């Protein structure tokens, strides 16, 4: 498999951008930790399950294994700088300081980023090894909509995409997708 071709083809699938967060309380000091993730999907409504796919080398992986819980913040287009920072890119605020992001705790104590479009709080149901990534299946314990009703941050062809014009069209197919 040619990695460039794999990336080029898969990058034609536009996604939103999330930050997966967890509260690391090792040594009695609570530290919020986050990483940018677009490999996010709804999975099941009953029971409510979502998944995020995290690379084996990502520093959040052992933290998630320890905490056993996480939250997903769905970024608005204004969240681009946070997306860069939580992906380890150049940033004004250091990533060690949670990228300077404002947050509040979810019902299960996980960090929810202020100004996100929506949040999903999960208990880690199980992990599935999948090549160079690990699928994290989360059992949803709480979810909520933010005050921000703006546009989402999008990711396409390895760059951010902003919605300039949008029209909503009634769905003709069977609306069974969650
Ligand atoms: C828009 C965007 C989406 C990303 N999606 C994922 C993803 O779904 N899974 C993943 O493991 N890494 C993803 N990354 C990369 C990680 O965010 C990045 O490698 C990680 O935060 C680096 O931190 P670390 O070196 O501390 O592990 C994405 C990066 C960006 C910019």
């Amino acid at each position: 498999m040619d990695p460039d071709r794999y990336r080029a083809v898969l990058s034609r699938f536009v996604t939103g951008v999330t930050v997966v967060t967890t509260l690391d309380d090792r040594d009695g000091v609570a530290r919020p930790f986050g990483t940018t993730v677009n490999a996010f999907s709804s999975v099941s409504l009953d029971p409510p399950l979502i998944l995020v796919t995290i690379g084996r080398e990502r520093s959040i992986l052992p933290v998630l294994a320890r905490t056993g819980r996480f939250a997903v913040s769905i970024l608005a287009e204004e969240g681009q700088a946070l997306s860069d920072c939580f992906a380890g890119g150049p940033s004004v605020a250091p990533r060690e300081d949670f990228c300077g992001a404002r947050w509040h705790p979810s019902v299960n104590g996980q960090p929810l980023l202020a100004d996100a479009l929506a949040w999903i709080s999960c208990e880690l149901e199980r992990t599935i090894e999948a090549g160079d990534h690990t699928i994290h299946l989360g059992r949803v314990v709480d979810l909520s909509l933010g005050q921000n009703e703006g546009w989402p941050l999008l990711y396409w062809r390895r760059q951010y995409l902003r919605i300039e014009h949008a029209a909503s069209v009634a769905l003709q197919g069977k609306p069974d997708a969650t």
Side-chain angles (χ1 to χ4, degrees):
M1 174 60 64
D2 173 6
D4 289 338
R5 176 176 291 262
Y6 179 93
R7 289 194 188 99
V9 170
L10 273 295
S11 73
R12 260 58 177 184
F13 186 65
V14 66
T15 69
V17 180
T18 76
V19 176
V20 171
T21 56
T22 192
L23 195 71
D24 190 11
D25 52 8
R26 192 168 50 165
D27 309 327
V29 187
R31 286 184 216 88
F33 201 98
T35 197
T36 304
V37 164
N38 70 335
F40 158 79
S41 181
S42 59
V43 174
S44 160
L45 180 59
D46 185 19
L49 299 168
I50 59 98
L51 68 78
V52 292
T53 304
I54 313 269
R56 286 268 182 88
E57 306 299 320
R58 305 286 183 257
S59 52
I60 198 171
L61 212 67
V63 188
L64 286 173
R66 227 173 16 244
T67 61
R69 50 187 56 163
F70 62 93
V72 179
S73 294
I74 300 174
L75 295 186
E77 61 181 4
E78 301 83 13
Q80 188 177 316
L82 283 181
S83 171
D84 283 334
C85 180
F86 282 112
S91 169
V92 179
R95 193 175 174 201
E96 302 73 55
D97 292 341
F98 202 53
C99 296
R102 291 184 298 118
W103 62 278
H104 58 277
S106 66
V107 289
N108 64 344
Q110 302 311 289
L112 307 177
L113 297 186
D115 305 324
L117 295 181
W119 304 281
I120 304 154
S121 310
C122 300
E123 297 289 317
L124 184 58
E125 177 89 0
R126 68 184 161 109
T127 57
I128 302 156
E129 300 302 320
D132 52 17
H133 279 59
T134 304
I135 299 167
H136 289 65
L137 200 61
R139 184 165 33 84
V140 178
V141 294
D142 191 39
L143 24 73
S144 46
L145 293 171
Q147 296 291 319
N148 188 341
E149 295 190 12
W151 297 114
L153 183 62
L154 301 180
Y155 191 61
W156 182 66
R157 296 186 66 174
R158 281 177 270 167
Q159 52 196 341
Y160 296 113
L161 192 66
R162 277 167 190 265
I163 296 171
E164 291 285 339
H165 303 283
S168 62
V169 178
L171 182 71
Q172 300 299 316
K174 202 171 161 230
D176 58 357
T178 49

